């Protein structure tokens, strides 16, 4: 899987935005303010929380982004506008039930990484590339999650 164009996105991240739901909610609000009906929102974990936040409150760092396939509108939403060059990704789609997301999602990552290893694909680690991210969406009322891992060429 690869993005057909360069990836442009608005990103929300930081120590104060550590919960997944909050970051995704912010990005969906941006999309609504920009009158985007079907936003493409992606997200990924990042390690910016304190030991206390992680150990006592079970928090983790999370970034969410609103992906644009065309030009980014010129508005001030207090965000970064970033551009990522075209990148190839390995991907897997899961449809986790509400009872098992904490088992199914990590196992989906393991299956995707095993697929990459068996097929000689290497993960790309580069500060200019989102190395791993997730996209959640609904199809016919059924929740889906796509998991992406960047690949070396």
């Amino acid at each position: 899987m690869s993005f057909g164009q360069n990836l442009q996105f608005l990103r929300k991240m930081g120590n104060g935005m550590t919960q997944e739901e909050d970051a995704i909610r912010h990005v969906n609000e941006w999309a609504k303010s920009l009158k985007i009906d079907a936003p493409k929102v992606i997200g990924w974990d990042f390690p910016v929380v304190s030991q206390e936040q992680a150990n006592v409150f079970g928090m983790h760092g999370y970034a969410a982004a609103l992906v644009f396939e065309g030009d980014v509108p010129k508005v001030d939403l207090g965000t970064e506008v970033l551009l990522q060059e075209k990148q190839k990704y390995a991907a897997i789609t899961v449809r986790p039930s509400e009872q098992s997301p904490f088992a199914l999602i990590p196992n989906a990552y393991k299956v995707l990484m095993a697929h990459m290893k068996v097929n000689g694909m290497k993960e790309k680690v580069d500060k200019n590339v989102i190395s791993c991210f997730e996209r959640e969406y609904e199809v016919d009322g059924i929740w889906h999650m796509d998991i992406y891992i960047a690949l070396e060429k």
Side-chain angles (χ1 to χ4, degrees):
M1 134 41 67
S2 65
F3 286 95
Q5 305 176 27
N6 293 339
L7 179 63
Q8 298 181 83
F9 55 94
L10 298 176
R11 176 175 69 180
K12 180 66 176 177
M13 63 187 282
N15 289 334
M17 187 55 50
T18 55
Q19 292 302 311
E20 202 166 321
E21 297 82 16
D22 290 339
I24 291 169
R25 180 181 48 78
H26 267 79
V27 172
N28 279 312
E29 287 173 4
W30 293 339
K32 188 176 181 181
S33 73
L34 295 170
K35 298 182 180 16
I36 299 171
D37 294 326
K40 184 182 278 188
V41 177
I42 62 173
W44 60 96
D45 294 331
F46 69 103
V48 296
V49 296
S50 70
Q51 282 299 115
E52 180 183 25
Q53 288 172 314
N55 295 337
V56 176
F57 302 108
M59 297 173 79
H60 67 280
Y62 195 81
L66 177 59
V67 177
F68 293 92
E69 294 185 8
D71 292 333
V72 176
K74 296 195 183 329
V75 293
D76 182 16
L77 296 172
T79 63
E80 298 175 83
V81 177
L82 302 169
L83 174 66
Q84 176 178 297
E85 299 296 322
K86 187 175 178 181
Q87 174 62 47
K88 188 172 184 178
Y89 287 86
I92 188 170
T93 300
V94 295
R95 293 182 295 266
S97 69
E98 292 180 9
Q99 292 80 24
S100 65
F102 297 110
L104 188 59
I105 295 169
N107 284 331
Y109 274 96
K110 291 175 186 174
V111 168
L112 184 56
M113 289 185 281
H115 170 78
M116 290 167 55
K117 183 176 182 178
V118 166
N119 289 286
M121 301 173 184
K122 294 193 183 337
E123 179 180 0
K124 182 173 187 170
V125 179
D126 181 322
K127 67 179 182 168
N128 297 314
V129 170
I130 302 172
S131 60
C132 177
F133 65 90
E134 302 162 353
R135 178 173 174 249
E136 298 179 44
Y137 56 96
E138 278 189 38
V139 175
D140 298 326
I142 299 171
W143 182 79
H144 293 67
M145 175 184 278
D146 293 340
I147 299 169
Y148 298 88
I149 298 177
L151 297 174
E152 289 286 343
K153 292 183 179 183

